[in-house]
Amino acid sequence: MDLGGSGVNNAMVMDGAVARLADNDIEFEIETTSTSPVTFTELYSREFQPLVRLATLMTGRVETARDIVQDAFVKLHVKWPAVRDPTAYVRRSVVNGCRSHHRWERRRHGRPATDEASVDLAVDHTLAALERLPHRQRAALVMKFYEGSTEQEIAVALGCRPGSVGPMVQRALERMRQSLAEPR
Amino acid sequence: MDIERQLSEHLAEAAAGVSATPDLAEVELGARRVRGRRRVATGVAAAMLIAGAGGAGFGLGREAGGSDAQVTPAQAGDTGGDEAPAATVGPADASQEVQPSETAPGTPAPGAIGPPLGSPGTMSRDFKVGAAEMPPYELVVERVTDSGITIRALRGESWYSDETSMADSNGWMPPRWCHGDAELRIGLSGPGLIDVTGASWYSELEGDVAVSATQAGWADGQPFGIVVVQVADGITEVAATAGEVSDRVAPSGGAAILLLPGIDPYIDDYTVEVTDASGVRALDESELNPMNTAEWHAACEPPPPPLPAAGEQPADVAAAEAAVRDVFAELFGSSVPFEDKRDGLLDDYTGVDAAIAEARDGDFADAVATAEYTIEDFVFTSPTEAWFRYAIATGTSYFGQRYGTSQLIDGSWRISRAVICQDLALAGAPCEPDPGPIYPPSWEDTYGTPPPIGACMETEAGGEICEPAEEMNVALPTGTAPEG
């Protein structure tokens, strides 16, 4: 078992734009959008912390965020041979995981998770206003104003059209303005 | 400070304090369990095996041994033949390593709900292999792909093969081409791969093709999209393409079965081309997904329950009907945001604005962009009330047999709140309170008692939430679409 980082043994070789299964005789090729060699380990090492921070800002809980990110990497691990753009895949999985978390909390408590979710973030009226937003609006704002993502990137992560992102961000900001203007 | 800059600074500050411990071995362990779960997920025995492995599910960091459950890289890499990314780093903290318990074959594990697979007593004593009388299966297609994968497809009867099973309570039956009325069992085998899946078989074709799609290979971690194209005589070749993946074959036995490695046909777009004496033709959306067309619904569903009987008519029937249609078109038109056309459209706005706001940010907001509303039938039941039947068509879905009402209020026609609320509810954003769907009195004659508004569940806090269609892929009124 190769533990050194080449990712060749018992895995797949990312030779430029083509990924090939290398540990059995199934010889089909799957196009990837990656233009540089990347192994699962390298991707995990590179993306883990940024994704945990992203998920924490979306869920308000570090431990929840870590679980969501780990689950996303499990899904990527299972589907690795078929995933064309691993970075985009895992990123979208994390955003979806945060959405599922919100839904689950809402079903469990009959309301959005925001009342309990801020335990890991410092008391901050701006972030509190952010937490009161619906998931998609919150995710869009975090990706835009924390990560500096483009509308295209946000659209990919949220599974919507790029043209929807701008209006969504504007509505979210307007809600935040209203929320911050309310007497506390 | 403007809100954008304020938000950026606060998010950066909050994120700077966030740190979590990576653990690649935990990921590999989770992936290994998922693969194992998929392998055995076809029977009741799956539950026994998962329980025997030490915990159902693998809620990372929480269950299956908790967040400390880690394996060494060597163990994690022992995937038993799975193709998997290589493990190249160990756990972040080697001192936390915990060896997973390995249960000897045939030994019930702690917490197991029954004996493990393969042990005596797994099967019911009453069950005898071969006791059930199965209908005969007929080999339709057998081919070996260029990559060495053997495909065998056998056709057998299904529940729908009995024509009367399609009849509704009034004896109405759809044409046979509407639904697959036989079963196709498709087996894939190759190096490191064995799987069986099913697809529909149509005993009659409406035109010259019928397409159904399925997938296989998940049990071995190698997803394969399978596209079954039944063809009429004269078609000599069929090709399916998804991205850079394609397959091409001459039909045999009335069908071509095409394999698309790495493609999930339920998610990924694919195209199909057929070749006959006149050349190559790409199948259009109505051929790939006929159930999404109004034509299919018109031919393949029972006649819609009629609207209520006409009553006393308005003085100027034509003008009144035009007024109702206009307000309906304005309500669901996409050119003007709802806020800007709000007044004068509905008889009651209770809970509507909030539901629209929720729907705008819901999962189906994009479906709005292609939604088209069509009134298909119309009647005045009194000088101040109209009933109509309408349909919603999006690029990917069709929703027919929807009913609405309109009332004359203060000299102008308004659409009932329940109309927009039933569409918002389908989009996962019901109005509060939810009036439920509108059914004409004749509905019960065709379909029986209307269903309840939606499934509800009790919350731990003692409340009740009802989410009738959150997961349904439905359309919103186009007037609720976000811009862009």
Side-chain angles (χ1 to χ4, degrees), chain B residues 33 86 137 178 193 199 217 247 260 273 300 304 317 352 364 419 422:
Chain B
R33 285 187 170 148
Y137 277 78
C178 289
L193 169 70
D247 191 13
L260 299 173
E273 290 181 343
C300 299
V317 175
V352 172
F364 310 112
V419 175
Q422 68 182 355

Side-chain angles (χ1 to χ4, degrees), chain A residues 26-38:
Chain A
I26 306 293
E27 293 183 353
F28 63 82
E29 294 180 347
I30 300 169
E31 184 191 57
T32 75
T33 57
S34 173
T35 56
S36 60
V38 58

